Amino acid sequence: MRLRALLDTDALGLKLLGGEDELDRTVRGVMTTDLRDPSRYLSGGELVLTGLAWRRDAADSEPFVRLLAQAGVAALGAGEAELGDIPDDLVVACARHHLPLFAVHESVAFATITEHVVRQVSGERAGDLAAVVDRHRRMMTSGPAGGGPDVVLDLLGSDLDLRAWVLSPTGRLIAGPKVAGPALAPEVCARLAAEHLTAARTGRRGPHRLPLGSTQYSLFPIRSTGRSAQAARDVRETVLSEWLLAVEADASDWPEERLDLLQGVTQLIAVERDRRDAARTVRRRLAQEVLELVQTGAAPAEIAARLRVAAPVLLPGLGAAPHWQVVVARVEWEGDGIEEEGPIAQSLLEEILVDPLATGPEPSDRIAVAHTGDEAIALVPLPAVSSEHDGSEAGILADVLLDSVRDALSAGLDGDGRVTLGVSAAVHSAEGLRGALEEARHARRVAAARPGRVCAAGHQELASHVLLLPFVPDDVRRAFTARLLDPLRDYDRRHRAELIPTLEAFLDCDGSWTRCATRLHLHVNTLRYRVGRIEQLTSRDLSRLEDKLDFFLALRMS
């Protein structure tokens, strides 16, 4: 389609800021990006949509536009939602490189423009193939009753004789054709996902081809068009959460028309993915609220009330409040470039915790994941276990979880990334939730001490005192820690004496005066003074094993 046709479509809300003489250019597709250098993902002829998150100052516009022009893109569409009016320096840079520039009104979603262009381009270039895309678009926009991604895969099979599957980055089968044919084996799914992650991490352009035995597969990335994807400045921020389209064919000799069609299909499936991510907003908010209550030491009754609100959302139709598990994840990348790793771990954990044997995105509706700092925390509801069981074997097991994701993720992380997971035991009430969080965090630290790109540990592997902590009622926990630690905290606030850090270091050093003084960069006499002050304020003796143990548990539970 021509750029002029886009400008004439009022529903798209486009305003031309420059390049009137170039409106007869042909648009072959759409790419949404806020990368400072998106050139490796461009093949020419695209309408590039950007929220301008890459722009930090006026000097950034010239190199960004130059890269687009060199890649042969058709035009640039800049969203007004981030900065309001489009910066003059961007207008000047586009004029210098003869790149048409559109302003996209803040009320218009990039996904709306993407879908319109895909539909029009498919109609002009693929003839009868456009019916496939158009039929799928109508079915997807009609909601879940329309069939979701599975429908387009069936249409690809019936109309184009192409067998295709949608996979998660961990190799979980999200959607597949319902027509007759051999199922895609789990080990094949894992190999395809591993190849996709490896190719995406190294910047190779799709489609990626992978021969497995006598069968050739072509892998097409499904890149989200949502706000989180638009804001990503580094491929590592999204690579662990993006879906892929695996087609049983060798796309190396396909004509451009067919490649364009498959790219259009991936963009339409991305719209469905964004719709699913939007539906997760409520569950994420519930998880964040519960997490804040747990971490701030709220009363069990208050936490229980919030869980009663969460249960119907996470497990619709469930009569009684379920049991709960906590799973903690952390994604660590070497080097610079990632400002916050918590959201990356959050998106990955939402994918990981879906049953690997379940198909479709719906099972993920029963998981609520929050993030804090560099870690993600999942609140997983479990159906109430029968009276014949104590719940210790119910729910998620760390070794099973690890086996389902290790192979695929290890390939994508190889070189500079790690994923570590910790899984708590099931708890039966709000009083145990704080202990479950501590247990999952401790298990994740155990996993982090192991070699390997993907590691997990469960509550069964923890020391005995850690296993006891989840079952200490919160009121007992608060009373115990307050009696021992509040005098020290009050003294630290008044005198900036750092008694709490001194106590932690002293216990970590097994009571060794020399090692503790070295760690804290203190003279031994200064350390002895601080320890004496701790003993005076608490009426405890840190030379006694019983008092050391009480302090250790108080610090662990605080």
Side-chain angles (χ1 to χ4, degrees), residues 291-451:
L291 176 62
E292 290 174 1
L293 290 174
V294 170
Q295 293 195 130
T296 55
E302 187 177 357
I303 299 174
R306 178 54 57 188
L307 289 177
R308 284 194 294 273
V309 173
V313 176
L314 300 178
L315 288 177
L318 190 68
H323 305 301
W324 302 89
Q325 259 184 302
V326 175
V327 181
V328 173
R330 185 166 183 177
V331 177
E332 298 173 277
W333 294 108
E334 298 174 6
D336 299 327
I338 305 296
E339 296 180 359
E340 191 177 11
E341 292 172 333
I344 303 174
Q346 181 183 45
S347 297
L348 177 61
L349 196 52
E350 287 170 336
E351 292 289 350
I352 286 177
L353 291 180
V354 178
D355 183 351
L357 299 179
T359 58
E362 293 307 313
S364 64
D365 291 347
R366 297 187 174 188
I367 299 163
V369 186
H371 71 83
T372 174
D374 289 333
E375 69 179 8
I377 300 166
L379 188 65
V380 182
L382 304 174
V385 295
S386 67
S387 58
E388 298 177 359
H389 299 84
D390 62 3
S392 61
E393 298 301 321
I396 298 169
L397 299 177
D399 54 348
V400 176
L401 185 64
L402 181 62
D403 288 342
S404 69
V405 302
R406 176 170 44 206
D407 291 344
L409 290 181
S410 295
L413 295 162
D414 190 27
D416 64 350
R418 289 199 80 201
V419 171
T420 50
L421 302 161
V423 182
S424 80
V427 294
H428 310 275
S429 67
E431 291 184 348
L433 206 54
R434 184 175 182 183
L437 175 58
E438 293 176 358
E439 189 175 67
R441 281 176 164 162
H442 188 72
R444 193 208 62 79
R445 289 193 290 270
V446 171
R450 296 171 175 168

Side-chain angles (χ1 to χ4, degrees), residues 499-536:
L499 295 185
I500 292 289
T502 300
L503 176 61
E504 292 175 334
F506 187 73
L507 295 176
D508 284 344
C509 293
D510 299 322
S512 168
W513 297 100
T514 303
R515 283 195 290 128
C516 184
T518 301
R519 176 183 294 188
L520 295 176
H521 306 290
L522 297 175
H523 192 279
V524 172
N525 288 341
T526 303
L527 176 61
R528 291 185 183 277
Y529 172 81
R530 288 188 183 180
V531 171
R533 179 63 68 183
I534 292 170
E535 294 174 333
Q536 179 184 13

Side-chain angles (χ1 to χ4, degrees), residues 50-69:
T50 179
L52 299 178
W54 51 266
R55 183 187 179 276
R56 297 173 184 171
D57 54 48
D60 291 335
S61 293
E62 166 63 26
F64 180 78
V65 173
R66 183 175 65 252
L67 290 169
L68 298 187

Side-chain angles (χ1 to χ4, degrees), residues 209-218 247-250:
R209 288 176 287 117
L210 177 66
L212 290 179
S214 60
T215 305
Q216 286 278 350
Y217 294 93
S218 295
V247 181
E248 190 180 85
D250 184 353

